[in-house]
Amino acid sequence: MMSLLKMDSKLLSDYKKSLKECSKSDSGEPVTLSELPAYRFDEISAFEAERYRRKKKLCSADALYIKSDSEIYLFEFKNTRKSHIPWKSVQLKAHDSLLTLQVALFPELSLQECAERTSYFLIYNDKAVQTPEKPSESFRELKRKLKGFAEQTDTYPVLGNMEVYQNTFYKKVYTIDVLDFEQEFLGKIYE
């Protein structure tokens, strides 16, 4: 486990689940079927609230994956298409999640140091819903051209004004469909 981690590893293991479990909506439907491990960050946030906030927890992402001291990932899952995402709620979760992460798990790091190590993913379910939204032909062409640039260029636009959290609260922010997430990012994150 990480050397900077504050929470006892045995206690942290109580929150270990699969991404599939972490991604379940209120109706019980998972956004991803991935069995890769993660921590239920909502539950870590609730635990922290009992200790410090009189049981009033901050908003929080659904899942946490700690790859190393310098690579931390927060995942928020929305089992809806991108046009139906409650952006205000997602923005609150992005804001509050970093604060909880730093206080609960990494108090030895400054908030800025924690932000520089953490990426935030909003993963929605646009392609799997019955009538997915189709991007316009001009958007597809733009995406194709962007793929032709340097490898470091991201071809996934950041939606919902979430770019304000990039390089401030997180080193990188992604808003991405679950199928693209599984194909493009899951293997890289968990390698």
Side-chain angles (χ1 to χ4, degrees), residues 42-55:
D42 279 331
E43 291 177 8
I44 293 171
S45 182
F47 175 78
E48 194 64 16
E50 284 184 35
R51 292 174 47 198
Y52 296 113
R53 294 183 43 86
R54 296 183 178 186
K55 298 184 180 184

Side-chain angles (χ1 to χ4, degrees), residues 1-158:
M1 193 47 56
M2 295 183 56
S3 59
L4 295 172
L5 196 60
K6 170 188 167 188
M7 188 176 274
D8 179 271
S9 61
K10 178 167 178 1
L11 181 60
L12 190 59
S13 70
D14 292 344
Y15 300 107
K16 197 169 196 173
K17 302 284 182 193
S18 67
L19 282 173
K20 178 181 176 179
E21 281 296 312
C22 293
S23 76
K24 285 186 177 177
S25 64
D26 292 340
S27 67
E29 290 293 318
V31 175
T32 181
L33 299 177
S34 173
E35 294 292 339
L36 289 167
Y39 298 106
R40 290 199 55 118
F41 195 65
D42 279 331
E43 291 177 8
I44 293 171
S45 182
F47 175 78
E48 194 64 16
E50 284 184 35
R51 292 174 47 198
Y52 296 113
R53 294 183 43 86
R54 296 183 178 186
K55 298 184 180 184
K56 184 176 176 170
K57 81 177 192 87
L58 295 172
C59 298
S60 58
D62 296 316
L64 165 70
Y65 177 66
I66 304 168
K67 185 174 184 175
S68 70
D69 276 343
S70 61
E71 291 185 79
I72 304 164
Y73 299 91
L74 286 166
F75 305 110
E76 174 64 17
F77 296 98
K78 292 293 178 194
N79 199 13
T80 187
R81 60 179 89 154
K82 62 188 166 206
S83 64
H84 292 110
I85 294 171
W87 291 109
K88 185 176 180 181
S89 165
V90 170
Q91 291 166 350
L92 287 172
K93 290 179 180 202
H95 179 276
D96 291 359
S97 291
L98 184 69
L99 302 174
T100 299
L101 181 68
Q102 191 265 333
V103 170
L105 300 174
F106 301 103
E108 301 300 318
L109 296 176
S110 70
L111 195 58
Q112 184 62 36
E113 290 171 320
C114 197
E116 291 168 355
R117 299 161 190 242
T118 308
S119 294
Y120 187 91
F121 281 82
L122 168 67
I123 302 158
Y124 54 87
N125 200 2
D126 199 40
K127 293 179 181 173
V129 293
Q130 287 187 352
T131 54
E133 295 174 355
K134 294 184 168 77
S136 68
E137 193 57 43
S138 60
F139 180 74
R140 270 196 286 275
E141 180 62 20
L142 175 63
K143 190 174 175 180
R144 187 190 64 73
K145 285 180 181 179
L146 287 173
K147 283 185 178 183
F149 292 128
E151 279 184 30
Q152 297 169 332
T153 302
D154 287 321
T155 59
Y156 300 100
V158 179

